[in-house]
Amino acid sequence: RGTTYYIRAYAINGLEVTYGNAMEVKTLPAIGGEFGNFVKINGGTFNRGSNFGNNIEKPIHSVTLKPFFIGETEVTQSVWEEVMGVDPSFNYDCDNCPVENVSWLDVQEFLKKINEKQSTIVYRLPTEAEWEFAAKGGTNGADFLYAGSSDIQSVAWYKDNSNRKSQPVKSKSPNTLGLYDMSGNVWEWVQDWFNFYKTDALTNPSGPLNGSSKLYRYRAWETDRKSTRLNSSHSANTRMPSSACK
């Protein structure tokens, strides 16, 4: 197989973000037409983790990544239903909202079905390191509290503005790489098994080979400002219905 693409989302055709870092965008084929826009994230080195928050965010350590592509938004309910035949979301009457209430294993089945349709592109979840690097804006990202801004209202759906439910993708501003909802709206699964950080510098880390729980990143429509920080990270059993997929 050729290039690996990291499933984050289905996207509406036409990326018109003109500020921030230069972007390379590919529109990829899908089962019933176009699957969406994927943004190229140039590789580089960044500091993963935080000295604030809970213990699984510590310690800060250096991570180097190769270039990769990631979805412009989360996978929407309409695309999930097209592929899987059902929409499991609590806020189910919203085709352009992110799919939610899906387990990590559900996402693996979704990816399997997409990959079976063609042989030139490999879709999978991003690793935790890839997700955080992209959320922070890559090597040129600013030191924001949230993805794209320190003003939570401009970039995130959270407890105080979401009306207690998920909201349509691309209805808040993107970060500097043109990625939407990297703070707020829904939790997002990543590929890694959970493990505590160490101080060692890492290159293209993918987490431990096995474990008891998988990681998911940032907070969602029901969480407060503090919990929506970029570095917020949690884990759950692979069968636990939780967030969306990337």
Side-chain angles (χ1 to χ4, degrees), residues 15-83:
L15 181 64
E16 298 178 355
V17 179
T18 57
Y19 58 89
N21 298 333
M23 290 176 286
E24 179 181 341
V25 180
K26 292 184 181 295
T27 302
L28 305 177
I31 296 168
E34 292 183 342
F35 189 72
N37 289 330
F38 284 68
V39 177
K40 184 178 182 180
I41 311 300
N42 293 320
T45 300
F46 77 111
N47 289 324
R48 179 170 67 167
S50 171
N51 287 327
F52 304 97
N54 57 45
N55 287 335
I56 68 174
E57 299 175 29
K58 306 172 185 178
I60 294 174
H61 55 288
S62 176
V63 173
T64 300
L65 296 173
K66 62 185 178 182
F68 60 96
F69 284 83
I70 191 168
E72 185 185 26
T73 74
E74 309 95 308
V75 173
T76 61
Q77 293 179 29
S78 62
V79 172
W80 184 276
E81 187 169 5
E82 177 188 351
V83 174

Side-chain angles (χ1 to χ4, degrees), residues 4 10 26 43 45 70 76 89-90 108 123 126 142 165-166 176-178 199 210 220 238:
T4 300
Y10 181 84
K26 292 184 181 295
T45 300
I70 191 168
T76 61
S89 304
F90 289 118
Q108 300 309 302
Y123 296 97
K165 62 182 181 180
S166 62
T176 53
L177 293 176
T199 58
N210 51 56
T238 57

